[in-house]
């Protein structure tokens, strides 16, 4: 039956989101949003400390980013909020010029992201190799775990059994039922135990004071001058690029986990809109959070925009309405959740001995470089860029030797035909000039490029150099077999072109 043959009511049902028609999906999305909201609170407060702002600024940013991106984003179920990468970028601006300049930079970064998204920056993701993607995932898992280490250092001894109990609950509770997310059960049970028994351990409330009212919209408190623009622009551009890098990489990861497609261009523009909204509401900005996204998608099983929206909405409700209760949640419970997320996120197959034996050394190197750079700098964007460059260098080195030259001399000795096979580009064409016998060849030389393709100016320059070397000896060169694209680039760039 075609769509036009359906009744209006049936067509309307087909357009409704899954969570409106399926109670199981509704329950999963709501509970996932609640778990993420609980995990967001200490994270947002910690990132506020990194940025040097009041904890409420980070919590407001997480609220507005999640709610806005749930509507305008291109990847369903992905969580965006205040992040450590963004905090590191804008922290120097806040220290030197104050909160007003920070907020202005967030708004400008949002405009940059919209422009970059419209220009198609998302298409650059195709150049990120799988080995770098695996390194990105593994380094993220390492960072998530490392972020929990301070919460396990120099703390009262009950913290350790509480963390162990939380991990045990998340491992074994799903064997009983998957109706309620195991992380939520772990958080509730550990909170009840610590409060009822009066166990003195670090709590969420120890991280900072929770906000008591919703954020109020307003303009940043800065002079609207060219000097202000030149001050904030470098930070805004850096924030825009780092935010887009992390968001697009996270979106690609969620695509793989859920076997669904997302609009990376819409996500790029959506990140910009979310940061503009966040800036006008006084937040510190942000981007996709892969840790919380893994809680939402991989641990809790969320798949729709509802969980993203509710993560932000629940965050504010928990802070404003249930602040005293949330403040009593032991940090051990949230540490256990994040440790479980780090283990679930890490691609253990990628480091298995059988896998490493099969993988090319270059891909292993790209993966290792990505992990090393991210762990050393705590910046996912730097690791991805360095890892991608490493993979490209390895690839270029590998294919540079694929161009081959074979010579066939006519029986009468009047001409020689050189057949070139493989791809000609800057790496492979470097050695091309050395493959010809300029002194010993007859007066007529034919270079057959039927089995190759010219990709760049370096290859054209190499062919020109070959012709020049023969011309100095009074010998003529004829190039044949060029396909149309190769002929066009050769004709446009060759020195013989009038």
């Amino acid at each position: 039956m075609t769509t036009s043959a359906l009744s209006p009511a049936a067509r309307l049902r087909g357009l409704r989101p899954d969570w409106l028609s399926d109670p199981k999906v509704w329950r999963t999305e709501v509970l996932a949003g609640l778990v993420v909201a609980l995990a967001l609170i200490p994270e947002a407060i910690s990132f506020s400390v990194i940025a040097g702002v009041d904890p409420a600024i980070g919590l407001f940013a997480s609220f507005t980013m999640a709610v806005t991106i749930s509507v305008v984003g291109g990847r369903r179920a992905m969580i965006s909020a205040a992040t450590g990468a963004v905090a590191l970028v804008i922290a120097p601006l806040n220290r030197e010029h104050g909160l007003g300049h920070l907020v202005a930079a967030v708004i400008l970064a949002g405009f940059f992201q919209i422009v970059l998204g419209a220009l198609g920056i998302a298409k650059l993701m195709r150049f990120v190799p799988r080995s770098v993607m695996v390194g990105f995932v593994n380094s993220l898992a390492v960072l998530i775990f490392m972020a929990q280490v301070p919460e396990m250092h120099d703390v009262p001894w009950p913290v350790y059994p509480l963390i162990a109990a939380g991990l045990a609950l998340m491992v074994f509770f799903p064997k009983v039922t998957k109706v309620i997310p195991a992380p939520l059960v772990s958080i509730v049970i550990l909170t009840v135990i610590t409060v009822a028994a009066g166990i003195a351990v670090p709590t969420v409330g120890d991280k900072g004071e929770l906000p008591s009212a919703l954020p109020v919209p307003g303009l940043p408190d800065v002079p609207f001058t060219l000097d202000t623009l030149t001050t904030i622009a470098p930070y805004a551009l850096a924030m825009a690029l780092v935010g887009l890098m992390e968001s697009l990489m996270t979106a690609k990861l969620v695509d793989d986990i859920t076997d669904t497609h997302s609009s990376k261009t819409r996500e790029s523009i959506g990140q910009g809109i979310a940061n503009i909204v966040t800036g006008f509401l006084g937040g510190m900005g942000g981007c996709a959070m892969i840790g919380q996204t893994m809680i939402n998608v991989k641990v809790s099983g969320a798949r729709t925009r509802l969980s993203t929206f509710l993560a932000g909405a629940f965050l504010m409700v928990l802070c404003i309405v249930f602040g005293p209760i949330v403040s009593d949640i032991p940090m051990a419970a949230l540490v256990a959740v994040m440790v479980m997320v780090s283990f679930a996120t890490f691609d253990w197959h990628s480091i298995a001995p059988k896998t490493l034996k099969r993988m090319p050394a270059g891909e292993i190197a790209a993966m290792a470089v990505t992990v090393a750079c991210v762990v050393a700098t705590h910046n996912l964007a730097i690791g991805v860029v360095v890892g991608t460059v490493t993979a490209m260098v390895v690839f270029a080195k590998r294919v540079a030797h694929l161009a081959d030259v074979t010579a066939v001399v006519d029986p009468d000795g009047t001409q020689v035909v050189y057949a070139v096979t493989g791809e000609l580009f800057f790496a492979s064409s470097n050695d091309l000039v050395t493959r010809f016998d300029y002194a010993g060849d007859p007066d007529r030389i034919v270079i057959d490029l039927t089995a190759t393709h010219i990709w760049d100016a370096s290859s054209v320059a190499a062919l020109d150099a070959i012709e020049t070397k023969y011309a100095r000896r009074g010998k003529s060169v004829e190039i044949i077999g060029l396909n149309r694209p190769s002929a066009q680039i050769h004709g446009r760039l060759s020195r013989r072109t009038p």
Side-chain angles (χ1 to χ4, degrees):
M1 181 182 294
T2 62
T3 304
S4 59
L6 296 173
S7 66
R11 287 200 299 270
L12 182 60
R13 285 196 298 271
L15 294 173
R16 290 190 303 179
D18 292 340
W19 52 268
L20 278 178
S21 54
D22 190 339
K24 291 183 179 179
V25 175
W26 167 268
R27 181 177 60 245
T28 298
E29 299 298 310
V30 171
L31 293 176
L34 180 57
V35 173
V36 172
L38 289 168
L40 275 174
I41 294 174
E43 293 279 304
I45 294 174
S46 298
F47 298 146
S48 300
V49 173
I50 293 173
V53 299
D54 189 81
I57 304 298
L59 291 165
F60 287 155
S62 297
F63 161 61
T64 54
M65 288 292 298
V67 169
T68 306
I69 207 68
S70 69
V71 178
V72 301
R75 172 65 259 177
R76 292 179 296 172
M78 190 166 76
I79 305 297
S80 290
T83 61
V86 169
L88 288 170
V89 170
I90 60 178
L93 179 63
N94 181 62
R95 285 196 302 268
E96 296 173 14
H97 300 280
L99 180 61
H101 282 73
L102 182 151
V103 172
V106 170
I107 297 172
L108 182 59
F111 281 110
F112 282 150
Q113 288 177 328
I114 292 175
V115 172
L116 291 170
L119 292 175
I121 192 174
K123 295 179 181 178
L124 296 177
M125 289 302 297
R126 71 183 66 179
F127 296 106
V128 179
R130 173 169 171 73
S131 56
V132 176
M133 188 68 189
V134 173
F136 169 82
V137 172
N138 290 346
S139 58
L140 175 71
V142 173
L143 286 186
I144 292 174
F145 183 83
M146 289 175 61
Q148 312 314 309
V149 173
E151 303 296 337
M152 296 183 278
H153 177 68
D154 195 22
V155 292
W157 69 265
V159 168
Y160 304 110
L162 285 173
I163 293 175
L167 291 171
L169 282 169
M170 284 182 285
V171 170
F172 295 109
F173 187 79
K175 301 181 184 301
V176 179
T177 178
K178 294 183 179 179
V179 173
I180 304 175
L184 180 59
V185 174
S186 176
I187 292 171
V188 171
I189 290 178
L190 294 187
T191 302
V192 170
I193 290 174
T194 55
V195 172
I199 302 174
V201 292
T203 64
V204 171
D206 296 332
K207 288 291 183 179
E209 186 178 352
L210 303 182
S212 57
L214 290 171
V216 178
L219 295 174
D221 184 18
V222 293
F224 292 90
T225 62
L226 182 60
D227 182 61
T228 300
L229 180 62
T230 56
T231 299
I232 67 173
Y235 295 95
L237 181 59
M239 175 184 164
L241 293 174
V242 169
L244 286 179
M245 176 78 74
E246 291 209 25
S247 298
L248 294 176
M249 291 291 288
T250 305
K252 190 172 186 293
L253 177 61
V254 177
D255 288 352
D256 294 339
I257 292 173
T258 61
D259 291 326
T260 56
H261 176 71
S262 62
S263 172
K264 306 302 186 298
T265 297
R266 178 177 173 179
E267 182 62 35
S268 302
I269 296 173
Q271 288 290 330
I273 295 172
N275 273 306
I276 291 173
V277 172
T278 298
F280 281 119
L281 288 171
M284 58 180 277
C287 62
M289 292 191 76
I290 193 164
Q292 273 63 28
T293 298
M294 289 299 100
I295 294 175
N296 197 45
V297 174
K298 201 165 186 177
V299 179
S300 301
R303 293 293 184 271
T304 76
R305 297 179 184 274
L306 180 63
S307 58
T308 306
F309 175 84
L310 290 178
F314 282 149
L315 175 63
M316 278 295 97
V317 172
L318 289 170
C319 291
I320 296 172
V321 180
F322 300 102
I325 297 175
V326 173
S327 296
D328 288 334
I329 295 175
M331 285 302 300
L334 298 176
V335 168
V337 171
M338 298 309 295
V339 168
M340 181 61 70
V341 169
S342 70
F343 275 89
T345 301
F346 197 92
D347 187 351
W348 296 101
H349 175 72
S350 67
I351 61 171
K354 291 183 179 179
T355 303
L356 294 176
K357 287 181 181 179
R358 293 196 304 266
M359 284 181 64
E363 295 193 21
I364 296 175
M367 180 178 69
V369 167
T370 303
V371 174
C373 287
V374 172
V375 173
T377 64
H378 285 224
N379 190 318
L380 292 166
I382 292 177
V384 171
V385 170
V386 175
T388 301
V389 171
T390 301
M392 289 180 175
V393 170
V394 170
F395 172 77
K397 184 177 180 181
R398 184 185 305 164
V399 301
H401 305 290
L402 296 182
D404 194 21
V405 179
T406 56
V408 177
V409 181
D410 281 0
D412 57 7
T414 58
Q415 77 171 13
V416 59
V417 178
Y418 284 94
V420 182
T421 58
E423 304 298 315
L424 291 181
F425 67 110
F426 65 90
S428 61
S429 60
N430 282 336
D431 297 330
L432 190 64
V433 180
T434 65
R435 307 293 293 277
F436 295 82
D437 185 3
Y438 302 101
D441 283 341
D443 291 341
R444 176 174 167 75
I445 295 91
V446 177
I447 301 177
D448 186 358
L449 300 181
T450 304
T452 189
H453 184 95
I454 296 176
W455 288 103
D456 58 9
S458 297
S459 303
V460 176
L463 292 172
D464 283 346
I466 293 169
E467 292 184 80
T468 300
K469 286 179 178 292
Y470 277 117
R472 288 173 182 168
R473 293 168 172 81
K475 302 176 182 181
S476 65
V477 176
E478 180 184 5
I479 296 176
I480 64 172
L482 287 169
N483 57 35
R484 180 176 297 179
S486 297
Q488 289 176 344
I489 190 171
H490 183 266
R492 189 170 65 249
L493 298 178
S494 176
R495 286 182 301 185
R496 295 185 298 107
T497 302

PDB file of all heavy atoms in Angstrom, residues 474-487:
ATOM      1  N   GLY A 474      69.577  16.365 -27.659  1.00  0.00           N
ATOM      2  CA  GLY A 474      69.066  16.372 -29.019  1.00  0.00           C
ATOM      3  C   GLY A 474      68.085  15.253 -29.306  1.00  0.00           C
ATOM      4  O   GLY A 474      67.932  14.842 -30.467  1.00  0.00           O
ATOM      5  N   LYS A 475      67.426  14.745 -28.299  1.00  0.00           N
ATOM      6  CA  LYS A 475      66.485  13.631 -28.468  1.00  0.00           C
ATOM      7  C   LYS A 475      65.048  14.125 -28.251  1.00  0.00           C
ATOM      8  O   LYS A 475      64.814  15.028 -27.439  1.00  0.00           O
ATOM      9  CB  LYS A 475      66.814  12.505 -27.493  1.00  0.00           C
ATOM     10  CG  LYS A 475      68.245  11.967 -27.659  1.00  0.00           C
ATOM     11  CD  LYS A 475      68.594  10.917 -26.614  1.00  0.00           C
ATOM     12  CE  LYS A 475      70.044  10.456 -26.788  1.00  0.00           C
ATOM     13  NZ  LYS A 475      70.433   9.426 -25.808  1.00  0.00           N
ATOM     14  N   SER A 476      64.113  13.535 -28.978  1.00  0.00           N
ATOM     15  CA  SER A 476      62.697  13.947 -28.883  1.00  0.00           C
ATOM     16  C   SER A 476      61.908  12.969 -28.017  1.00  0.00           C
ATOM     17  O   SER A 476      62.181  11.764 -28.003  1.00  0.00           O
ATOM     18  CB  SER A 476      62.084  14.014 -30.281  1.00  0.00           C
ATOM     19  OG  SER A 476      62.041  12.720 -30.869  1.00  0.00           O
ATOM     20  N   VAL A 477      60.927  13.521 -27.306  1.00  0.00           N
ATOM     21  CA  VAL A 477      60.081  12.725 -26.409  1.00  0.00           C
ATOM     22  C   VAL A 477      58.625  12.908 -26.807  1.00  0.00           C
ATOM     23  O   VAL A 477      58.171  14.034 -27.028  1.00  0.00           O
ATOM     24  CB  VAL A 477      60.284  13.145 -24.941  1.00  0.00           C
ATOM     25  CG1 VAL A 477      59.316  12.380 -24.039  1.00  0.00           C
ATOM     26  CG2 VAL A 477      61.718  12.911 -24.502  1.00  0.00           C
ATOM     27  N   GLU A 478      57.911  11.789 -26.900  1.00  0.00           N
ATOM     28  CA  GLU A 478      56.467  11.839 -27.160  1.00  0.00           C
ATOM     29  C   GLU A 478      55.747  11.137 -26.010  1.00  0.00           C
ATOM     30  O   GLU A 478      56.086   9.996 -25.667  1.00  0.00           O
ATOM     31  CB  GLU A 478      56.126  11.145 -28.475  1.00  0.00           C
ATOM     32  CG  GLU A 478      54.634  11.183 -28.777  1.00  0.00           C
ATOM     33  CD  GLU A 478      54.273  10.406 -30.034  1.00  0.00           C
ATOM     34  OE1 GLU A 478      55.177   9.762 -30.622  1.00  0.00           O
ATOM     35  OE2 GLU A 478      53.080  10.414 -30.414  1.00  0.00           O
ATOM     36  N   ILE A 479      54.781  11.844 -25.417  1.00  0.00           N
ATOM     37  CA  ILE A 479      53.990  11.273 -24.325  1.00  0.00           C
ATOM     38  C   ILE A 479      52.653  10.824 -24.906  1.00  0.00           C
ATOM     39  O   ILE A 479      51.932  11.622 -25.523  1.00  0.00           O
ATOM     40  CB  ILE A 479      53.785  12.298 -23.197  1.00  0.00           C
ATOM     41  CG1 ILE A 479      55.133  12.658 -22.570  1.00  0.00           C
ATOM     42  CG2 ILE A 479      52.841  11.742 -22.133  1.00  0.00           C
ATOM     43  CD1 ILE A 479      55.044  13.734 -21.496  1.00  0.00           C
ATOM     44  N   ILE A 480      52.307   9.553 -24.719  1.00  0.00           N
ATOM     45  CA  ILE A 480      51.062   9.018 -25.256  1.00  0.00           C
ATOM     46  C   ILE A 480      50.248   8.344 -24.147  1.00  0.00           C
ATOM     47  O   ILE A 480      50.761   8.094 -23.048  1.00  0.00           O
ATOM     48  CB  ILE A 480      51.330   7.997 -26.384  1.00  0.00           C
ATOM     49  CG1 ILE A 480      52.070   6.772 -25.828  1.00  0.00           C
ATOM     50  CG2 ILE A 480      52.103   8.632 -27.533  1.00  0.00           C
ATOM     51  CD1 ILE A 480      52.198   5.635 -26.822  1.00  0.00           C
ATOM     52  N   GLY A 481      49.008   8.050 -24.447  1.00  0.00           N
ATOM     53  CA  GLY A 481      48.168   7.252 -23.541  1.00  0.00           C
ATOM     54  C   GLY A 481      47.544   8.008 -22.394  1.00  0.00           C
ATOM     55  O   GLY A 481      46.992   7.391 -21.476  1.00  0.00           O
ATOM     56  N   LEU A 482      47.613   9.338 -22.391  1.00  0.00           N
ATOM     57  CA  LEU A 482      47.023  10.093 -21.282  1.00  0.00           C
ATOM     58  C   LEU A 482      45.498   9.991 -21.317  1.00  0.00           C
ATOM     59  O   LEU A 482      44.875  10.205 -22.365  1.00  0.00           O
ATOM     60  CB  LEU A 482      47.419  11.570 -21.369  1.00  0.00           C
ATOM     61  CG  LEU A 482      48.867  11.926 -21.020  1.00  0.00           C
ATOM     62  CD1 LEU A 482      49.162  13.363 -21.422  1.00  0.00           C
ATOM     63  CD2 LEU A 482      49.111  11.727 -19.537  1.00  0.00           C
ATOM     64  N   ASN A 483      44.906   9.665 -20.161  1.00  0.00           N
ATOM     65  CA  ASN A 483      43.442   9.741 -20.100  1.00  0.00           C
ATOM     66  C   ASN A 483      43.032  11.215 -20.039  1.00  0.00           C
ATOM     67  O   ASN A 483      43.866  12.102 -19.874  1.00  0.00           O
ATOM     68  CB  ASN A 483      42.889   8.942 -18.915  1.00  0.00           C
ATOM     69  CG  ASN A 483      43.458   9.395 -17.568  1.00  0.00           C
ATOM     70  OD1 ASN A 483      43.724  10.574 -17.352  1.00  0.00           O
ATOM     71  ND2 ASN A 483      43.666   8.452 -16.661  1.00  0.00           N
ATOM     72  N   ARG A 484      41.732  11.469 -20.160  1.00  0.00           N
ATOM     73  CA  ARG A 484      41.283  12.860 -20.299  1.00  0.00           C
ATOM     74  C   ARG A 484      41.667  13.728 -19.103  1.00  0.00           C
ATOM     75  O   ARG A 484      42.252  14.808 -19.297  1.00  0.00           O
ATOM     76  CB  ARG A 484      39.774  12.914 -20.523  1.00  0.00           C
ATOM     77  CG  ARG A 484      39.249  14.338 -20.686  1.00  0.00           C
ATOM     78  CD  ARG A 484      37.771  14.358 -20.998  1.00  0.00           C
ATOM     79  NE  ARG A 484      37.498  13.715 -22.275  1.00  0.00           N
ATOM     80  CZ  ARG A 484      36.276  13.579 -22.777  1.00  0.00           C
ATOM     81  NH1 ARG A 484      35.227  14.016 -22.097  1.00  0.00           N
ATOM     82  NH2 ARG A 484      36.098  12.995 -23.952  1.00  0.00           N
ATOM     83  N   PRO A 485      41.398  13.323 -17.846  1.00  0.00           N
ATOM     84  CA  PRO A 485      41.792  14.183 -16.713  1.00  0.00           C
ATOM     85  C   PRO A 485      43.304  14.422 -16.659  1.00  0.00           C
ATOM     86  O   PRO A 485      43.755  15.530 -16.370  1.00  0.00           O
ATOM     87  CB  PRO A 485      41.304  13.407 -15.479  1.00  0.00           C
ATOM     88  CG  PRO A 485      40.216  12.524 -15.998  1.00  0.00           C
ATOM     89  CD  PRO A 485      40.641  12.143 -17.375  1.00  0.00           C
ATOM     90  N   SER A 486      44.086  13.368 -16.958  1.00  0.00           N
ATOM     91  CA  SER A 486      45.543  13.521 -16.936  1.00  0.00           C
ATOM     92  C   SER A 486      46.007  14.459 -18.047  1.00  0.00           C
ATOM     93  O   SER A 486      46.906  15.286 -17.842  1.00  0.00           O
ATOM     94  CB  SER A 486      46.223  12.155 -17.096  1.00  0.00           C
ATOM     95  OG  SER A 486      45.909  11.305 -16.016  1.00  0.00           O
ATOM     96  N   ALA A 487      45.379  14.339 -19.225  1.00  0.00           N
ATOM     97  CA  ALA A 487      45.742  15.211 -20.341  1.00  0.00           C
ATOM     98  C   ALA A 487      45.429  16.665 -20.029  1.00  0.00           C
ATOM     99  O   ALA A 487      46.188  17.582 -20.383  1.00  0.00           O
ATOM    100  CB  ALA A 487      45.008  14.773 -21.608  1.00  0.00           C
TER     101      ALA A 487
END
